[in-house]
Amino acid sequence: MKDTVEIRWHGRGGQGAKTAALLLADVAFKVGMHVQGFPEYGPERMGAPITAYNRISDSVIRVHSNIYDPDFVAVVDETLLESVDVTQGLSKDGGIIVNTSRPKEEILPHLKGYEGKVYTIDAHKVSMATLGKYFPNSPMLAAVVAVSGVIEKDKFLDEMQASYAHKFEKKPEVIEGNMNALKMAFEEVH
Amino acid sequence: MGIRERLSGNEAVAYAIKQINPDVMPAFPITPSTEIPQYVAGYIANGEIDTEFIPVESEHSSMSATLGASAAGARALTATSSCGMALMWEELYVAASNRLPVVLALVNRALSGPININCDHSDSMGARDSGWIQIYAENNQEAYDNFLQAYRIAEHKDVRLPVMICQDGFITSHAVENIELIEDDKVKAFVGEYNPENYLLNAEQPMAVGPYATSPYYMETKKGQREAMINAKDVILEVGREFGAMSGRSYGFYEGYQLEDADYVMVIIGSAAGTAKDAVDILRDAGKKVGILKVRVFRPFPAKELALALQNAKAIAIMDRAESFSGEGGPLGTELTTALFHAKSTAKVVNYFYGLGGRDFRVENAEAVFEEIASKDNIEPYQYIGLRQ
């Protein structure tokens, strides 16, 4: 049953972790896969820790529980490393992607001896360079796609181009910046 | 061939509403209602449908206005969830006793308290005696499909009862999943136009709706509702078959999964059935004869049909996502156990409470239930599962 890739997102209310999960579901759907994208709701307030999930599979997905043993974890807000056990259940054959400007060595001590691959991306840098504002969504989405390999890079970029063209129909000037954010994120995640 | 899409459960039901283009939708436009009225209001604002949207000041009013519109002769609906439904309580009974074929898009969420916004079935199960037909969905596809069938059942001349289309709060309502939509023209042809026989705006035939019923009349009214509910069984099956002929997805009172030769069966409602199916596959691979009976229609309660479907089971786990505080079984447990008693079943029956207030129900939980009913003889007959240790 492990033809399904499971991804868990950690963020804070208002940062767009839920949106990133829904975007990933969207783009995976568009390339022909079966998807789930869903948030776990706690108290709804800005800044509270939130979790969102993705299942992506070639076959129909029936399970409707949260994800406990994810293949990949994306941490949108590094301050959560202090308070949330982000590597809980995380497969050591998978990996974790942390949004941070700090070197990886400074992140590792927070990961409770996690044995899988650890990636970092400075979504702030990517976002400021390409969009001029801090929207961690697009860089984190691209980083997750790059690391997990759930969608081929070219297919992903093509679909995102189409998706932004639709979403920003009335603001076409932001499409290029968002696409650049995705492309730069592919280079910047290590 | 349908249209491949990905939608949340809320979006899926709103899309069904758009395709049906009903006459009137009163709704309370904020929490505890759902995104469904919001999406429908968007369709109306964009000129995609001409439904009259009435924003009201409470859920008591949303159901009242829905009933008023329906009595006047309109095809009407509303949407709500949890405590919003609790505030409609009085009108739920008014809808059913006046035989108004309205539809309620219900997203199942826990009732307070403690305050909780997550999924369980306490809202609709609490209203199980209100006289509404209740149909439940495992996923977004079923929520959409069930909604498209609702008016065909509600408005049928042998039925004329309100219908509640239920789906699991957040688990399906807020989760984006793949779905196959049906083309607009097919939906329109399937649902058809509403031509009420009696309605308030018919000047040719004045009538009263909802007058006081003295004792000599009240009980006959209830008997009429009961007969309509019994009639609804054939109509639900007929509509489910016809829907299948149109879409390729047929529906009945229940769905069996690996049920035929199963010795150990879990009876369950809603999204958790999908999770339990994964557990069945794991246990079948290990040679265990387990299966699922997913109840789709809870009102009318298909007692004989369920008992018949369970006739070969050695042990049955009945799963309730709502308390009834009898100190014994939950709503599904109690009613199904009665049905099994009348069918002279000798199967071992255990009634589990799970998933209250959004407590997650995992594949492992389902496996543990199967393992318990398959291996133990003296099992506590009423149990909570998934409690923190």
Side-chain angles (χ1 to χ4, degrees):
Chain A
M1 224 169 290
K2 208 54 184 173
D3 62 339
T4 301
V5 175
E6 296 185 313
I7 299 166
R8 187 172 69 208
W9 298 78
H10 294 283
R12 291 187 181 275
Q15 286 176 333
K18 174 195 161 188
T19 307
L22 296 184
L23 278 171
L24 179 59
D26 215 49
V27 65
F29 162 81
K30 284 183 180 159
V31 302
M33 308 185 83
H34 289 271
V35 299
Q36 278 182 348
F38 57 102
E40 184 179 358
Y41 281 85
E44 291 182 67
R45 55 178 196 267
M46 297 280 280
I50 71 127
T51 313
Y53 303 96
N54 282 118
R55 286 190 180 91
I56 298 172
S57 178
D58 290 327
S59 47
V60 176
I61 303 167
R62 299 178 305 199
V63 63
H64 276 115
S65 66
N66 294 337
I67 291 168
Y68 298 90
D69 308 305
D71 299 291
F72 299 95
V73 164
V75 182
V76 182
D77 184 327
E78 64 177 312
T79 64
L80 291 169
L81 296 174
E82 316 279 341
S83 54
V84 176
D85 187 359
V86 294
T87 54
Q88 189 171 39
L90 175 60
S91 163
K92 63 175 195 280
D93 301 325
I96 182 167
I97 305 136
V98 181
N99 172 17
T100 181
S101 59
R102 291 189 285 168
K104 204 178 285 182
E105 297 67 43
E106 289 185 29
I107 301 302
L108 293 173
H110 295 286
L111 301 181
K112 303 194 169 176
Y114 173 61
E115 293 171 14
K117 290 190 179 130
V118 178
Y119 302 86
T120 60
I121 178 166
D122 187 349
H124 186 266
K125 183 177 100 179
V126 172
S127 187
M128 292 309 283
T130 54
L131 297 163
K133 288 180 190 161
Y134 183 40
F135 292 121
N137 267 343
S138 295
M140 285 304 288
L141 173 64
V144 166
V145 170
V147 166
S148 66
V150 283
I151 308 167
E152 283 173 37
K153 182 182 174 184
D154 292 346
K155 269 191 186 175
F156 169 72
L157 292 175
D158 286 350
E159 287 301 340
M160 289 308 292
Q161 174 80 41
S163 167
Y164 286 144
H166 179 68
K167 186 177 170 192
F168 298 124
E169 208 177 324
K170 300 203 173 94
K171 287 196 289 182
E173 66 278 8
V174 307
I175 297 173
E176 194 186 344
N178 273 290
M179 287 306 295
N180 286 339
L182 299 177
K183 289 173 192 163
M184 187 174 167
F186 268 90
E187 308 306 319
E188 290 285 326
V189 63
H190 298 293
Chain B
M1 195 55 206
I3 304 152
R4 193 176 164 272
E5 253 301 350
R6 77 299 192 193
L7 296 174
S8 72
N10 283 332
E11 290 171 327
V13 168
Y15 198 82
I17 294 169
K18 177 188 160 197
Q19 291 185 301
I20 294 169
N21 191 9
D23 300 314
V24 182
M25 180 172 190
F28 184 56
I30 57 169
T31 299
S33 189
T34 63
E35 295 168 310
I36 293 170
Q38 179 191 330
Y39 293 132
V40 175
Y43 291 134
I44 296 168
N46 294 338
E48 293 174 85
I49 53 173
D50 58 5
T51 303
E52 180 80 23
F53 187 85
I54 310 175
V56 292
E57 76 284 9
S58 77
E59 312 276 4
H60 190 276
S61 296
S62 68
M63 185 52 81
S64 296
T66 304
L67 302 189
S70 178
R75 184 179 265 168
L77 80 158
T78 188
T80 194
S81 192
S82 179
C83 303
M85 191 200 199
L87 191 53
M88 292 177 177
W89 217 259
E90 179 186 0
E91 285 72 31
L92 293 177
Y93 284 73
V94 176
S97 58
N98 282 299
R99 310 290 297 278
L100 297 172
V102 301
V103 177
L104 173 63
L106 182 74
V107 169
N108 283 113
R109 294 195 290 115
L111 291 174
S112 298
I115 298 172
N116 177 289
I117 61 166
N118 295 300
C119 175
D120 70 29
H121 298 157
S122 53
D123 45 9
S124 60
M125 283 300 169
R128 65 189 184 273
D129 299 342
S130 63
W132 284 61
I133 290 168
Q134 292 188 341
I135 304 180
Y136 291 82
E138 175 184 325
N139 50 37
N140 302 349
Q141 183 74 61
E142 292 185 4
Y144 170 78
D145 290 351
N146 288 344
F147 203 92
L148 294 180
Q149 295 171 59
Y151 282 111
R152 288 284 306 276
I153 298 163
E155 294 166 359
H156 193 282
K157 64 178 174 43
D158 298 337
V159 179
R160 288 192 182 127
L161 286 174
V163 174
M164 208 176 278
I165 299 298
C166 309
Q167 64 167 312
D168 281 352
F170 294 104
I171 301 170
T172 68
S173 70
H174 286 64
V176 170
E177 294 183 321
N178 296 50
I179 187 169
E180 191 181 302
L181 301 172
I182 300 166
E183 294 82 352
D184 289 351
D185 54 335
K186 280 193 187 173
V187 169
K188 288 215 177 334
F190 178 80
V191 177
E193 288 291 318
Y194 178 41
N195 296 304
E197 198 177 333
N198 304 300
Y199 54 101
L200 279 175
L201 293 184
N202 182 1
E204 305 294 311
Q205 198 179 47
M207 62 184 274
V209 176
Y212 181 70
T214 52
S215 300
Y217 292 95
Y218 186 89
M219 207 161 158
E220 283 68 20
T221 306
K222 293 298 142 188
K223 181 64 168 38
Q225 285 178 246
R226 181 183 172 81
E227 281 175 11
M229 193 58 93
I230 292 166
N231 292 343
K233 288 179 72 176
D234 284 344
V235 175
I236 289 166
L237 292 179
E238 180 190 312
V239 171
R241 271 195 299 271
E242 210 182 302
F243 187 86
M246 184 220 1
S247 67
R249 296 183 296 276
S250 293
Y251 289 92
F253 297 133
Y254 66 90
E255 180 202 338
Y257 183 74
Q258 299 279 20
L259 181 61
E260 207 105 300
D261 67 336
D263 291 333
Y264 306 101
V265 179
M266 176 181 291
V267 183
I268 194 160
I269 295 176
S271 62
T275 306
K277 286 174 185 173
D278 275 11
V280 165
D281 285 359
I282 292 167
L283 294 169
R284 282 270 172 180
D285 282 347
K288 310 266 174 64
K289 288 171 86 174
V290 297
I292 303 280
L293 191 162
K294 177 181 82 189
V295 178
R296 171 180 180 249
V297 177
F298 188 74
R299 282 289 180 273
F301 189 67
K304 290 193 180 73
E305 292 82 357
L306 297 184
L308 186 65
L310 293 165
Q311 65 180 344
N312 297 323
K314 289 179 184 159
I316 302 164
I318 308 176
M319 310 297 290
D320 265 301
R321 199 162 199 159
E323 249 293 6
S324 67
F325 296 114
S326 68
E328 301 200 338
L332 180 60
T334 305
E335 298 204 16
L336 185 54
T337 305
T338 305
L340 292 167
F341 172 82
H342 288 300
K344 303 194 167 26
S345 166
T346 54
K348 177 166 59 179
V349 175
V350 186
N351 190 185
Y352 295 90
F353 295 90
Y354 76 101
L356 305 185
R359 179 61 52 87
D360 206 14
F361 180 72
R362 304 171 57 175
V363 174
E364 292 84 346
N365 296 130
E367 284 182 73
V369 164
F370 278 121
E371 272 159 23
E372 179 164 84
I373 63 167
S375 64
K376 288 194 200 164
D377 278 331
N378 296 311
I379 312 174
E380 162 61 37
Y382 311 108
Q383 295 187 36
Y384 270 50
I385 57 160
L387 289 174
R388 285 180 295 116
Q389 298 301 314

